[in-house]
Amino acid sequence: MESTCARSNLPHIPSSISKCTLRSRAIPSAAAAFSKGFSRSITISSGASRRRCHVAAVVRCQSSRRPDYSPNRISDPKYVRIFDTTLRDGEQSPGATMTTKEKLDVARQLAKLGVDVIEAGFPAASMADLEAVRVIAEEVGCGEGDDVPVICGLARCSKNDIDKAWEAVKHAKKPRIHTFIATSEIHMKAKLKMTKEQVMEKATSMVSYARSLGCPDVEFSPEDAGRSDREFLYQILGEVIRAGATTLNIPDTVGYTIPSEFGQLIADIKANTPGIENVIISTHCHNDLGLATANTLAGACAGARQLEVTINGIGERAGNASLEEVVMALKCRGEHVLGGLYTGTNTQNIMMTSKMVEEYTGLHVQPHKAIVGSNAFAHESGIHQDGMLKHKNTYEIISPQDIGLRRENESGIVLGKLSGRHALQAKIMELGYEIEGKELEDLFWRFKSVAEMKKKVTDEDVIALVSDEVFQPQVFWRLSDVQVTCGSLGLSTATVKLFDADGEEHVACSVGTGPVDAAYKAVDLIAKVPVTLLEYSMSAVTEGIDAIATTRVLIRENSTSTHVLTDENANRSYSGTGAAMDIVISSVRAYVGALNKMLGFQKLVSRFNKTEESSVV
């Protein structure tokens, strides 16, 4: 396997060496070096005086072992914690609702990836969210070994939120409560309708309350820090440190700052906040101006040692800093231009994690997305292809194997109708998936049905089948058969046969404006769940008339619920994906998958609502 370090301009330094340094003449700090392309370098402000920091550049080969965990300190000053908020901020993307099972699957995969902290959700949002965080805390947060991730729950600065967050995360080996309150002028006046003094008192009292519950690890975020008054920011951060906060997270909530500004913000907080040496500084950058990754790296260079990110960069509005971009930037350039910063992530699990999040949320990764996009390691230009044939380093700075991506047919296995289970499993493992037991058996028979109709089954075909067969929600309805009649001579008709969770057969017929419309109406007659179809899209996995078709749908439940943060009525939306060589079957599989996800979520909510009603005296 080719090392990522070998793709840089400097000589490769073996990662197995635990201590070796390469010293150069004094240059501006890593933060200054990073941001000098943005018109100025970072300066450290302390009271009325301002000074420019100059330090010796050090390229250091770090040991791969992560430092022992302590809530408010890291023994190696070059180590950077990765805080993943895919299950909380990422799930706030429209249509990204995940079931408890899906969240647990993602959390397990994040643990394999080696993230330091998993923000598992917002327990006060609903009893279903609390249950999901609790399950993750018990099953993922109580694993074997010393590298078990911290399990974190988000809470507003209120006792009810903090109580629920603690109830959910206290079962983990390393529990954390993350509480926040807005500190910018516009948020305090327009949203909170509170004075600075009231916000200060609320923040300090709630951090203190969280610690009083027995939680040893409390993170505090001043929401919209990027637009907050600096002096007030230093003051409130100093007070929450005194109240017991162990991590201070600095969010660029609306993605407003540019790298030089955000790096300077972190540097100023580090220089002017009383007690800052007793906590970890964290970043949380949104991507409204497309600068989330750059801002995050600038923050790390300026002294932040926890970086909050999401898989595929999903999240509110334009999303968050992308885990894969931040981690690979540190892996690729950390030794040489980012001051020797490194993380404890197992980057070979990036591709599998990205694919899982994409399938469960229904949020497709754009083809040209850095690191995980389908075009990230594709070369079509003749000049580029010529360079790649001569030496891969000509146009690739990262080895695809470093993120768990295997180029097609590296093992020499060509799948066809005569291929057996072992060949399929070997190909699946080559593609970065670990599937066995019943899931492998079900996938094998799906594969055989496709192989009977195609001369060669490609890697893309296998990935589509894995997504359709494995990354599916709890089954309430299972598609058995579809028969359609359509054309220009009359109305399209469809007959659909579904099996319910008890194995009982249900058949319905309907007419529609086309075969898919007719089939969806037939499904509605069986399921009897009123929904609205918001989005429908289809694409061919490969070229050719015999390509597998993948379908994505987004549906919205017709009943409303109250959004916990805004108190406004909202309709949840749910995504579903399907894959088949027949476009109608692919479409129906996607629709049934979305219905299953919605029914699973509604069942969980209903169960907790009944529990609450039965407990009322």
Side-chain angles (χ1 to χ4, degrees):
M1 183 179 297
E2 186 173 9
S3 168
T4 302
C5 293
R7 297 294 181 89
S8 69
N9 293 325
L10 296 182
H12 170 57
I13 306 173
S15 59
S16 58
I17 300 175
S18 59
K19 289 185 179 179
C20 67
T21 59
L22 174 64
R23 299 186 181 274
S24 68
R25 61 183 177 81
I27 62 171
S29 68
F34 179 85
S35 62
K36 65 182 180 180
F38 295 98
S39 79
R40 64 187 177 91
S41 60
I42 292 174
T43 56
I44 307 296
S45 300
S46 182
S49 65
R50 296 170 68 83
R51 56 189 174 84
R52 185 177 302 275
C53 289
H54 295 266
V55 296
V58 178
V59 177
R60 176 177 298 167
C61 301
Q62 300 290 355
S63 168
S64 60
R65 185 181 183 278
R66 74 181 68 204
D68 292 336
Y69 184 77
S70 175
N72 66 332
R73 91 179 5 96
I74 301 173
S75 58
D76 186 344
K78 301 298 182 183
Y79 185 78
V80 178
R81 287 176 181 164
I82 297 299
F83 177 113
D84 183 272
T85 183
T86 302
L87 295 174
R88 199 278 301 170
D89 202 325
E91 204 204 8
Q92 292 174 205
S93 303
T97 302
M98 288 182 274
T99 65
T100 298
K101 173 190 174 297
E102 291 170 338
K103 290 181 180 180
L104 182 58
D105 286 347
V106 171
R108 286 173 174 152
Q109 185 61 31
L110 289 171
K112 286 184 182 179
L113 182 59
V115 304
D116 300 272
V117 185
I118 298 174
E119 188 167 49
F122 187 5
S126 69
M127 288 303 294
D129 286 284
L130 189 153
E131 173 69 5
V133 177
R134 185 190 63 77
V135 169
I136 291 170
E138 291 180 342
E139 298 202 20
V140 180
C142 293
E144 300 294 328
D146 297 328
D147 292 337
V148 175
V150 174
I151 305 300
C152 176
L154 184 70
R156 292 166 295 188
C157 277
S158 78
K159 285 189 174 182
N160 178 65
D161 277 28
I162 291 171
D163 286 339
K164 283 183 164 56
W166 179 237
E167 181 183 347
V169 303
K170 66 182 180 182
H171 307 280
K173 283 184 179 179
K174 303 172 187 174
R176 178 186 292 188
I177 294 173
H178 178 193
T179 188
F180 70 97
I181 193 169
T183 54
S184 66
E185 195 72 21
I186 188 170
H187 276 249
M188 288 189 291
K189 285 184 176 179
K191 184 179 76 173
L192 299 179
K193 295 179 171 51
M194 295 171 67
T195 64
K196 288 183 177 180
E197 292 72 24
Q198 290 172 322
V199 168
M200 179 94 69
E201 192 281 328
K202 176 67 76 173
T204 54
S205 64
M206 289 302 101
V207 168
S208 178
Y209 178 69
R211 289 299 301 265
S212 74
L213 296 175
C215 183
D217 195 354
V218 176
E219 177 173 334
F220 173 76
S221 290
E223 187 184 8
D224 203 18
R227 296 189 294 175
S228 297
D229 175 71
R230 291 291 177 88
E231 294 302 323
F232 178 58
L233 205 54
Y234 307 149
Q235 188 179 3
I236 193 170
L237 292 176
E239 290 301 314
V240 296
I241 292 172
R242 290 179 58 190
T246 53
T247 298
L248 298 183
N249 180 49
I250 311 304
D252 183 20
T253 304
V254 293
Y256 182 69
T257 64
I258 64 174
S260 57
E261 283 182 303
F262 191 74
Q264 186 68 60
L265 173 62
I266 298 298
D268 288 349
I269 287 172
K270 190 173 181 180
N272 292 283
T273 302
I276 196 70
E277 67 278 4
N278 298 317
V279 297
I280 304 298
I281 302 176
S282 174
T283 68
H284 182 107
C285 299
H286 280 262
N287 204 38
D288 297 69
L289 295 177
L291 296 171
T293 295
N295 284 343
T296 298
L297 293 173
C301 289
R305 288 298 177 265
Q306 175 180 284
L307 309 179
E308 302 201 355
V309 290
T310 62
I311 299 297
N312 299 336
I314 65 174
E316 288 274 15
R317 302 182 313 280
N320 293 281
S322 163
L323 179 145
E324 58 274 11
E325 293 174 13
V326 170
V327 166
M328 291 310 295
L330 289 172
K331 182 170 184 177
C332 188
R333 307 306 310 281
E335 290 284 350
H336 310 306
V337 297
L338 298 178
L341 300 180
Y342 73 105
T343 73
T345 50
N346 179 4
T347 61
Q348 290 189 349
N349 281 304
I350 283 177
M351 207 63 210
M352 175 63 172
T353 312
S354 170
K355 191 66 178 176
M356 179 180 285
V357 170
E358 180 183 21
E359 294 299 330
Y360 279 164
T361 61
L363 301 175
H364 287 313
V365 174
Q366 62 196 38
H368 55 281
K369 168 76 171 64
I371 313 299
V372 295
S374 59
N375 291 346
F377 296 96
H379 305 274
E380 187 165 326
S381 162
I383 294 174
H384 286 219
Q385 289 175 344
D386 179 64
M388 285 293 294
L389 289 171
K390 291 174 178 174
H391 200 295
K392 290 181 180 179
N393 291 15
T394 53
Y395 288 103
E396 284 186 357
I397 62 169
I398 298 168
S399 170
Q401 289 89 342
D402 281 353
I403 63 167
L405 179 64
R406 305 292 190 270
R407 285 194 171 94
E408 186 169 346
N409 205 28
E410 286 187 352
S411 65
I413 296 174
V414 178
L415 296 177
K417 66 179 182 180
L418 299 179
S419 301
R421 290 174 179 79
H422 291 300
L424 177 63
Q425 189 171 28
K427 174 59 72 175
I428 290 168
M429 291 181 67
E430 180 184 304
L431 294 171
Y433 300 94
E434 294 180 15
I435 300 171
E436 53 189 20
K438 185 179 183 302
E439 287 183 336
L440 177 62
E441 186 69 15
D442 292 343
L443 182 64
F444 175 72
W445 290 112
R446 285 288 305 281
F447 156 74
K448 293 293 278 188
S449 67
V450 170
E452 289 290 336
M453 295 181 280
K454 293 192 70 172
K455 186 175 182 180
K456 177 186 175 184
V457 180
T458 66
D459 287 1
E460 289 80 5
D461 293 327
V462 174
I463 291 170
L465 292 175
V466 169
S467 300
D468 189 44
E469 192 65 42
V470 179
F471 297 145
Q472 289 295 330
Q474 178 185 355
V475 175
F476 289 87
W477 295 103
R478 180 173 60 84
L479 176 63
S480 174
D481 297 299
V482 180
Q483 182 67 44
V484 298
T485 302
C486 61
S488 59
L489 299 179
L491 285 173
S492 298
T493 62
T495 301
V496 175
K497 181 193 292 184
L498 302 179
F499 287 102
D500 62 23
D502 298 322
E504 185 177 346
E505 180 183 296
H506 301 259
V507 179
C509 303
S510 186
V511 297
T513 56
V516 173
D517 181 50
Y520 281 14
K521 287 177 178 176
V523 171
D524 289 340
L525 290 174
I526 296 173
K528 296 180 174 63
V529 180
V531 298
T532 300
L533 180 65
L534 299 179
E535 294 179 16
Y536 172 94
S537 62
M538 177 179 288
S539 61
V541 172
T542 58
E543 61 185 18
I545 196 67
D546 61 351
I548 289 179
T550 59
T551 306
R552 176 186 181 267
V553 300
L554 187 67
I555 64 172
R556 182 179 63 208
E557 60 184 342
N558 289 346
S559 58
T560 60
S561 56
T562 303
H563 193 286
V564 69
L565 290 176
T566 63
D567 291 325
E568 296 177 351
N569 289 333
N571 299 88
R572 281 186 179 267
S573 53
Y574 305 84
S575 63
T577 59
M581 295 189 70
D582 185 297
I583 62 173
V584 178
I585 295 174
S586 173
S587 300
V588 176
R589 289 182 69 88
Y591 192 61
V592 171
L595 287 175
N596 281 333
K597 181 178 285 190
M598 184 185 75
L599 291 170
F601 189 84
Q602 289 178 345
K603 180 180 179 181
L604 189 61
V605 171
S606 175
R607 176 159 64 89
F608 284 114
N609 286 343
K610 288 179 181 178
T611 302
E612 288 182 333
E613 290 170 6
S614 64
S615 64
V616 176
V617 179

